[in-house]
Amino acid sequence: MAAGSCLLLLLLLPWLVTASHSPPGCKIRITSKGLDLVKQEGLRFVEQELQNITMPDVHGKEGQFHYNISQVKVMDLQLAFSNLHFQPQQHLVFNISNASISLRFRRQLLYWFFYDIGSINASADGVHIHTVLQLAKDEAGRLKISNMTCNASIARMHAGFSGTLRTVYEFLSTFIVTGMRFLLSQQICPALEHASLVLLNSVLDTVPVRNYVDEHIGIDYSLLRDPAVSTDTLDLDFKGMFFPRARENQELENHAVEPVIKETERMVYVAFSEYFFDSAMHSYFQAGVLAIELQGEKVPKDLEVLLRATFFGTIFMQSPAVDAPLQLVLQVSAPPRCIIKPSGTSVSVSAFLNISLVPQGRPAIQLSSMAMETKLSAKVFLQGKALRVQLDLRRFRIYSKQSALESLALFSLQAPLKTLLQLTIMPIINERTKKGVQIPLPEGMDFTKEVVTNHAGFLTVGADLHFSKGLREVIEKYRPAPTTPTYASSWPAEPSMDPHQF
């Protein structure tokens, strides 16, 4: 029995491996060049967070020397030496070395019978911060910072004193500086942990995962697996599947070629397989919107004359309907298919065209029902964060579904119907695709200098990145409103003048 179970497991193992590695419809690669841009914006963000460090009051007693330090404020930061790099398998490493932090404190000092208050300027030098961010896919399929490790140290700290007790302060400053150095180093990592796990994750929350494209279809951009990180790249595999809004839980199996990104010259690369486009057209087909009806004045006059001449005998036999308006119904008969080759991208469409007379107050009289096969060339381009497609009619053929003889009779309609598609139908289709679909990037980050490259079964868009909004701006926009009362700080606005508090 055990041997049979093992044999069954061995037989199922290849299928289980394949099933666990579903090919992505969309793939994004961020390179080291892109990470350099992220580092510049991230460094500004870290500076802002460290400037908001809060520290508790420091007070103590050494012999006859009593001190109380309050209202600690970061005045300036110098983070000249920093590095952000990838670390396999799922990590980003952020290092700051030899930084300096300038502080200002409020002091209350009592030495024997001498009591003094004022401010102290101090500087922390040789500040080293080492953080490791672990990236993972959360339950919703969104990229998140799942964990963070941090180490911070301060090599030395100096406090400058002034006033009548300056000599005494400098002699006893070791006690103050040692305490402040310890407290400051303890506050750095919690501040960065909050910035990463809370604030930066709120920026990642702006990445579209499952949203509606229009009133007919939506798109699923959920991650299929945790990100794959190498020393030079970060790769994200997205489902990249469209779905009809009427059947949101419908799954379309992906049999397309998996996109493979080999380039690293640009900041970011986005790859789309044939499945990405096929699922969009399949969803529109199931939504029942791949149909166009032209009737009466909407039918071009030249085409109407030709159609009436072609079907003269039929119209004459239906003499009461001779002056009835024409109706053309063009409807796609099967989900269109996208074909991506190194030479270009095309879309194959099968449809049927029904030509009828519609006498007023009477049922429509069908003159002909013909099949159509068309091939459209597709120009794919990226604008901002919207992927757009411009379609153009390349090949067109009509034939009768009844007989070869009728197909021969319809030959004269080939050219005018093609003109109808080019001048009337294609503008309507391109108007619908004009809006495009958003690429899964956080708000405030956009593409520039896009270049589209076709491959066998998929295409890639190489681009550079730029920040149209800063991280702080996006965070403040989506920061949730406080749900609990805000309490005042326990620190006094001004130090107490009563020396007995010591």
Side-chain angles (χ1 to χ4, degrees):
M1 183 69 178
S5 299
C6 292
L7 179 60
L8 179 62
L9 181 61
L10 289 173
L11 292 173
L12 290 176
L13 188 59
W15 181 86
L16 291 173
V17 171
T18 303
S20 64
H21 189 81
S22 302
C26 172
K27 189 168 189 172
I28 292 183
R29 162 170 289 183
I30 300 175
T31 68
S32 296
K33 291 182 179 180
L35 201 61
D36 288 341
L37 179 69
V38 173
K39 185 193 80 171
Q40 297 172 20
E41 182 63 27
L43 195 59
R44 285 192 290 269
F45 174 66
V46 168
E47 289 177 351
Q48 293 167 350
E49 289 302 301
L50 294 181
Q51 285 175 342
N52 294 325
I53 284 179
T54 58
M55 295 174 60
D57 294 356
V58 180
H59 56 84
K61 175 184 177 183
E62 294 295 336
Q64 296 300 317
F65 179 67
H66 304 255
Y67 61 88
N68 184 57
I69 300 298
S70 62
Q71 299 181 27
V72 182
K73 184 177 181 181
V74 176
M75 303 302 295
D76 185 44
L77 294 100
Q78 297 294 330
L79 309 180
F81 302 99
S82 62
N83 176 259
L84 178 66
H85 64 270
F86 297 116
Q87 176 178 294
Q89 302 292 326
Q90 294 169 233
H91 300 92
L92 288 177
V93 179
F94 184 54
N95 288 319
I96 295 175
S97 58
N98 203 26
S100 63
I101 304 175
S102 298
L103 306 169
R104 178 172 289 177
F105 320 141
R106 276 289 192 177
R107 73 173 186 261
Q108 291 175 282
L109 306 174
L110 179 65
Y111 183 66
W112 291 95
F113 300 105
F114 297 97
Y115 176 66
D116 186 45
I117 63 172
S119 61
I120 302 174
N121 293 321
S123 64
D125 299 319
V127 179
H128 294 269
I129 305 171
H130 177 77
T131 58
V132 179
L133 306 178
Q134 182 175 0
L135 304 176
K137 175 181 77 72
D138 70 2
E139 293 181 358
R142 180 177 275 113
L143 178 67
K144 283 298 181 70
I145 300 172
S146 60
N147 192 26
M148 172 186 172
T149 58
C150 175
N151 293 295
S153 63
I154 300 174
R156 54 198 174 275
M157 193 163 186
H158 172 75
F161 296 90
S162 61
T164 56
L165 299 178
R166 177 180 177 182
T167 303
V168 177
Y169 298 159
E170 291 178 349
F171 176 72
L172 299 172
S173 65
T174 303
F175 304 112
I176 299 175
V177 170
T178 301
M180 292 305 299
R181 174 183 168 190
F182 173 78
L183 287 176
L184 179 60
S185 63
Q186 293 299 304
Q187 298 301 315
I188 291 175
C189 284
L192 295 182
E193 183 175 354
H194 178 265
S196 300
L197 299 182
V198 177
L199 301 183
L200 288 183
N201 274 337
S202 72
V203 176
L204 293 175
D205 282 339
T206 66
V207 176
V209 172
R210 189 177 177 90
N211 62 318
Y212 295 141
V213 176
D214 54 30
E215 64 271 24
H216 305 295
I217 68 170
I219 187 168
D220 188 338
Y221 271 132
S222 57
L223 282 171
L224 294 173
R225 55 193 65 88
D226 288 334
V229 180
S230 70
T231 55
D232 299 314
T233 60
L234 182 150
D235 288 342
L236 301 167
D237 289 349
F238 296 93
K239 193 170 190 177
M241 184 197 76
F242 292 83
F243 56 87
R245 292 181 59 169
R247 303 183 183 95
E248 293 197 10
N249 296 323
Q250 177 178 283
E251 293 283 334
L252 181 64
E253 194 169 352
N254 186 353
H255 297 291
V257 173
E258 179 172 349
V260 178
I261 304 176
K262 298 180 180 180
E263 300 87 352
T264 58
E265 291 78 17
R266 307 295 293 275
M267 292 185 181
V268 64
Y269 290 90
V270 189
F272 304 94
S273 75
E274 292 174 345
Y275 172 80
F276 180 87
F277 302 100
D278 283 346
S279 67
M281 294 182 289
H282 189 274
S283 298
Y284 276 124
F285 178 78
Q286 288 200 317
V289 297
L290 298 184
I292 296 176
E293 180 181 312
L294 301 177
Q295 182 175 320
E297 295 181 355
K298 293 184 179 180
V299 180
K301 194 64 179 177
D302 293 345
L303 179 61
E304 181 182 2
V305 171
L306 182 61
L307 289 174
R308 287 184 180 276
T310 303
F311 300 105
F312 176 78
T314 305
I315 295 173
F316 186 77
M317 292 297 294
Q318 306 289 338
S319 56
V322 170
D323 296 327
L326 280 174
Q327 180 191 64
L328 278 65
V329 177
L330 177 63
Q331 185 167 350
V332 174
S333 57
R337 295 298 305 273
C338 175
I339 303 168
I340 303 176
K341 297 180 179 180
S343 57
T345 302
S346 61
V347 178
S348 296
V349 184
S350 297
F352 60 83
L353 176 64
N354 288 335
I355 303 174
S356 305
L357 289 171
V358 283
Q360 187 174 2
R362 295 181 57 191
I365 302 169
Q366 182 171 301
L367 301 178
S368 179
S369 178
M370 61 187 76
M372 300 175 56
E373 291 181 358
T374 62
K375 180 165 283 189
L376 311 175
S377 61
K379 179 184 178 183
V380 181
F381 60 98
L382 204 58
Q383 190 169 5
K385 273 190 295 195
L387 182 74
R388 300 179 178 179
V389 179
Q390 180 78 23
L391 297 171
D392 189 30
L393 183 61
R394 203 164 90 194
R395 283 191 294 182
F396 172 80
R397 185 173 76 92
I398 59 171
Y399 57 93
S400 172
K401 296 190 292 185
Q402 276 76 34
S403 68
L405 184 62
E406 187 176 1
S407 295
L408 184 62
L410 294 175
F411 184 77
S412 61
L413 295 176
Q414 183 102 359
L417 285 176
K418 183 176 182 180
T419 302
L420 171 70
L421 289 176
Q422 288 175 324
L423 300 181
T424 305
I425 308 300
M426 295 308 301
I428 296 175
I429 296 175
N430 283 322
E431 185 63 28
R432 291 182 179 178
T433 62
K434 185 178 180 180
K435 181 181 177 182
V437 60
Q438 186 178 353
I439 304 303
L441 277 186
E443 183 172 339
M445 185 179 289
D446 292 317
F447 296 105
T448 61
K449 303 176 183 176
E450 308 89 347
V451 176
V452 178
T453 305
N454 279 47
H455 305 272
F458 65 96
L459 59 85
T460 60
V461 182
D464 289 337
L465 294 170
H466 81 99
F467 283 91
S468 57
K469 296 179 182 177
L471 287 175
R472 177 65 55 189
E473 183 181 353
V474 177
I475 288 170
E476 292 301 328
K477 178 179 178 180
Y478 292 97
R479 186 189 295 273
T483 55
T484 56
T486 302
Y487 297 97
S489 171
S490 60
W491 302 345
E494 294 291 340
S496 171
M497 298 297 291
D498 182 7
H500 296 291
Q501 71 168 332
F502 297 116

